[in-house]
Amino acid sequence: MERIERHACCGGWQEVHRHRSKAVDGEMRFAIYLPPQAQTQRVPVLYWLSGLTCTEQNFITKAGAQRHAAEHGVAIVVCDTSPRGENVANDAAYDLGQGAGFYVNATVAPWSQHYRMYDYVAHELPALIEQHFPVTRQRAISGHSMGGHGALTIALKNPGRYCSVSAFSPIVAPARVTWGEKAFSAYLGSDRETWRAYDATELVSSANEQLPLLVDQGDADEFLHTQLQPELLQAAAEAAGHPFELRVRAGYDHSYYFVASFIGEHVAYHAAALRG
Amino acid sequence: MERIERHACCGGWQEVHRHRSKAVDGEMRFAIYLPPQAQTQRVPVLYWLSGLTCTEQNFITKAGAQRHAAEHGVAIVVCDTSPRGENVANDAAYDLGQGAGFYVNATVAPWSQHYRMYDYVAHELPALIEQHFPVTRQRAISGHSMGGHGALTIALKNPGRYCSVSAFSPIVAPARVTWGEKAFSAYLGSDRETWRAYDATELVSSANEQLPLLVDQGDADEFLHTQLQPELLQAAAEAAGHPFELRVRAGYDHSYYFVASFIGEHVAYHAAALRG
C-alpha cells in the first residue's frame, strides 16, 4: 500500500492510497479522511460509494464532507467505482466498464476477470482499512446514484456489518431500469434471476435484519423518473415492513451540489448510529 | 447575458452565466451563488478571484462556500481567470495567457487586445451583477493565490469600493517573484515602474484608505517561500501602519482543501463587514 496524496483538511488529513487488490486482481485507489480525533483514538468509518464515471476524487473534492466528519469524529473511506487500467476490460460508454462497476461480482467474461467490486467493497477494503488505520470496526455506508445502489445492496446483503446505511439519488431497482439492465446483462448475463441478488427492491423483501434505509432524493433530478424511481423501494419496504425514510428535496438535481447540501445531515445520522 | 447552469444548493441557487464583456472584448463566464435570503431581499456580494489555471468552476465545486453564504445571507460571484477562446492570445505555459490573466490591464501586444481583467473585475462585473441580480452595493472581495493578489490589489486601488478584503495563499509581491515577473513582463512590458500599480506590497505603502488586509496561509504550502512570501506584505503593511492580519495554518498546503477548511471563517469575516 502506498500513500499518494496527503492534505491537511478541517483539522484532519485527507489521504489517497493505492494498493494491490486481490478481489479485483489489480491496482485500486481509495481515499480516507482521518478526522482530528483519529490522532488520539480509534474512530468509526463511513464508507462512501460514488456514481457512474467517478473515481475516488469526486466525493473528496466536491462534497465538503470533511467538515462534518471532523465535527463528529468519523473517518470517511471513498473507493473507486471499478477496476482500472489498460489490461482491464472496458467499454466506450460511460455506463459500462471502467467507472461503472455497479458494485457486483461479474460472472461473465471478459468482465469476470477483474470486475469484483462487491467483494472489494464488502470484504477486502474494510479489512485493509481496519488493519492499517486508527479505526474501530463500527461501519456505516452511503453513496450516490450507482453508489447509492451499492450502499443499499451491500448493507442489505450483509446483516450486522453496518450500523447504518443511507443513499443519495440511488438506483433502487437496477433490474428494472436501463442503466441496471445494461450493466447486469453484461456483468451477470441474461438470466434475470441472478440479478435479484444485487437489486435493493428485491433484497429488502427478504432482509433478515431491519436496518433502516434512509434515501435522499432531489425532485428536480434529471434521472428521477427513469433510472431512480425511489417509490419502487418505498413500496417494497412498506410491503416487507422494513423501516424506510425518503427525504424528497424540492428543486435539487442529480449533481454534487445536492450531495454537498445534505451530506452534513447524513454524516450526523451515521455518527449517531456509529456511537450506538 | 445567458444562464447556462442552475443548481439548487444549500437552500439557494448556484448559477453560471455567460455574457459579452466590453472590458475584455469577448465572451466571459461567471458564477453566482444566491443564498436563500435573496429570494425576499437584496443581499451583499462577496467577489471571489481564483488562481492559475482555474475557471469559474473550481471554487464553486470545491470550496464548499455555499453553506456559509447561505448561513450569512451573502451572494458569492466568481469569475474566470482570463479571457478565453480561439481568437484570444495564449501561451503553452500554465502561468501565462488563458487561465493566467493576473487581474491586470495588459498594455503590450498581443495581450493588450483582450487581457483587461482589472477593468472587468473592478468595474464591469460589479455593474453587471448590480443591474441584474437582487444584490446591494455592499461588496467584499477575496481570492486564492493569483486571485489573492487580485483581491488585495483591486481593493487597495479602489478605496471605498469594498467593505472588506481577504486572501488565501496570495501572491503578495508579484513584481519580486517569478510567477509575477513572467506575467508582468508579458502583459505590462519591461518597465518595472509600471508593475508597481499591480503589486500589493507597493500599493499598501501609499494606500489612502486603511482597509484591513486579512491573509490566510498554510505553512506547508509548496509555493510559500518562492512565489508567495506573505512576510513581504506584512513588513510593508507594518511600515505603512496599515492594518494587517496573517493567519498561519500548520500543515496546510496550497490546495482547495486549505481553502475549504477556512472559507467559513472568511465568509463570516466578510459578512460582519458587509452588515456594517
Side-chain angles (χ1 to χ4, degrees):
Chain A
M1 196 166 69
E2 181 191 7
R3 189 173 70 200
I4 54 178
E5 284 189 44
R6 187 169 192 249
H7 309 277
C9 186
C10 296
W13 294 95
Q14 180 62 62
E15 301 182 350
V16 178
H17 297 256
R18 63 181 169 200
H19 70 108
R20 178 84 194 172
S21 161
K22 287 184 184 173
V24 310
D25 190 21
E27 182 181 292
M28 289 294 287
R29 295 186 177 197
F30 67 85
I32 182 167
Y33 178 70
L34 292 164
Q37 295 86 342
Q39 291 164 25
T40 53
Q41 64 191 79
R42 292 184 179 272
V43 296
V45 182
L46 170 60
Y47 289 85
W48 176 266
L49 307 183
S50 297
L52 289 167
T53 77
C54 290
T55 69
E56 84 289 345
Q57 290 289 321
N58 300 66
F59 182 80
I60 66 174
T61 59
K62 293 185 170 181
Q66 294 94 345
R67 163 172 318 280
H68 309 291
E71 179 186 343
H72 292 283
V74 174
I76 302 183
V77 170
V78 184
C79 63
D80 203 345
T81 54
S82 78
R84 305 258 182 193
E86 289 184 9
N87 300 321
V88 173
N90 201 3
D91 188 280
Y94 76 98
D95 54 0
L96 189 66
Q98 295 186 31
F102 268 84
Y103 306 102
V104 304
N105 288 335
T107 54
V108 176
W111 310 106
S112 49
Q113 189 182 353
H114 296 289
Y115 284 73
R116 299 183 62 82
M117 287 298 291
Y118 174 79
D119 276 354
Y120 180 73
V121 172
H123 302 296
E124 185 180 23
L125 184 59
L128 188 78
I129 296 297
E130 288 159 18
Q131 182 184 350
H132 292 284
F133 296 93
V135 300
T136 69
R137 296 193 175 190
Q138 299 294 101
R139 309 174 197 97
I141 191 164
S142 186
H144 176 234
S145 194
M146 177 183 75
H149 143 72
L152 293 168
T153 54
I154 289 170
L156 286 165
K157 287 165 76 71
N158 293 277
R161 285 188 66 84
Y162 299 94
C163 300
S164 51
V165 58
S166 74
F168 289 78
S169 328
I171 303 170
V172 300
R176 286 186 268 177
V177 303
T178 53
W179 273 343
E181 288 176 326
K182 179 177 179 179
F184 285 7
S185 296
Y187 301 146
L188 305 175
S190 59
D191 179 2
R192 285 176 176 247
E193 276 301 305
T194 66
W195 300 7
R196 298 176 63 169
Y198 297 109
D199 184 301
T201 64
E202 298 285 347
L203 292 166
V204 76
S205 303
S206 55
N208 55 13
E209 181 199 41
Q210 297 277 297
L211 189 68
L213 309 180
L214 169 61
V215 170
D216 229 295
Q217 176 64 58
D219 76 357
D221 187 318
E222 54 271 43
F223 302 110
L224 175 56
H225 302 298
T226 51
Q227 310 290 353
L228 307 181
Q229 304 186 52
E231 66 277 9
L232 296 177
L233 181 58
Q234 187 169 37
E238 282 177 7
H242 196 108
F244 175 85
E245 182 182 355
L246 176 62
R247 298 177 178 173
V248 177
R249 310 292 190 170
Y252 285 83
D253 62 22
H254 199 67
S255 72
Y256 261 93
Y257 293 110
F258 169 58
V259 175
S261 297
F262 299 104
I263 191 68
E265 291 184 20
H266 283 240
V267 172
Y269 173 83
H270 291 294
L274 289 163
R275 278 192 302 268
Chain B
M1 196 166 69
E2 180 191 6
R3 189 173 72 199
I4 54 178
E5 282 188 45
R6 187 169 193 247
H7 309 278
C9 187
C10 296
W13 294 95
Q14 180 62 62
E15 301 182 351
V16 178
H17 296 256
R18 65 181 169 198
H19 71 107
R20 177 85 194 172
S21 162
K22 286 185 185 173
V24 310
D25 189 21
E27 182 182 292
M28 289 294 287
R29 293 184 179 200
F30 67 86
I32 182 167
Y33 178 70
L34 292 164
Q37 296 85 344
Q39 290 164 25
T40 53
Q41 65 189 81
R42 290 182 179 273
V43 294
V45 182
L46 170 61
Y47 289 86
W48 176 268
L49 307 181
S50 296
L52 288 167
T53 77
C54 289
T55 69
E56 84 289 346
Q57 290 290 322
N58 302 66
F59 181 80
I60 65 174
T61 58
K62 293 185 171 181
Q66 294 94 346
R67 166 172 317 280
H68 308 290
E71 179 186 345
H72 292 284
V74 174
I76 302 182
V77 171
V78 184
C79 62
D80 203 346
T81 54
S82 78
R84 306 261 180 191
E86 289 184 8
N87 299 322
V88 173
N90 200 3
D91 189 279
Y94 75 99
D95 56 359
L96 189 67
Q98 296 185 32
F102 267 85
Y103 306 103
V104 304
N105 288 335
T107 54
V108 176
W111 311 105
S112 49
Q113 188 182 353
H114 296 290
Y115 284 74
R116 300 183 61 82
M117 287 298 290
Y118 174 79
D119 276 354
Y120 180 73
V121 172
H123 302 297
E124 185 179 24
L125 184 59
L128 188 77
I129 296 296
E130 289 160 16
Q131 181 184 349
H132 291 284
F133 296 95
V135 299
T136 68
R137 295 191 175 192
Q138 299 295 99
R139 308 174 198 98
I141 191 164
S142 185
H144 176 235
S145 195
M146 176 183 75
H149 143 74
L152 293 168
T153 54
I154 288 171
L156 287 165
K157 288 166 75 71
N158 293 277
R161 285 188 66 84
Y162 299 95
C163 299
S164 52
V165 58
S166 74
F168 289 78
S169 328
I171 304 169
V172 300
R176 287 185 270 178
V177 303
T178 54
W179 273 344
E181 288 174 326
K182 178 178 179 178
F184 285 7
S185 296
Y187 300 146
L188 305 173
S190 58
D191 179 0
R192 286 176 176 248
E193 276 301 306
T194 66
W195 300 6
R196 298 175 63 170
Y198 296 109
D199 184 301
T201 64
E202 298 286 347
L203 292 167
V204 76
S205 303
S206 55
N208 54 12
E209 180 199 42
Q210 297 277 295
L211 188 68
L213 309 180
L214 169 61
V215 171
D216 229 294
Q217 176 64 58
D219 77 357
D221 188 319
E222 53 272 42
F223 302 110
L224 175 56
H225 302 298
T226 51
Q227 309 290 354
L228 306 181
Q229 304 185 55
E231 66 277 9
L232 296 176
L233 182 57
Q234 188 168 37
E238 282 177 6
H242 196 108
F244 176 85
E245 182 181 355
L246 177 62
R247 297 177 179 174
V248 177
R249 310 291 190 169
Y252 285 84
D253 62 22
H254 199 67
S255 71
Y256 260 92
Y257 293 110
F258 169 57
V259 176
S261 295
F262 299 104
I263 192 68
E265 291 184 20
H266 283 240
V267 172
Y269 173 83
H270 291 294
L274 289 163
R275 279 192 301 266

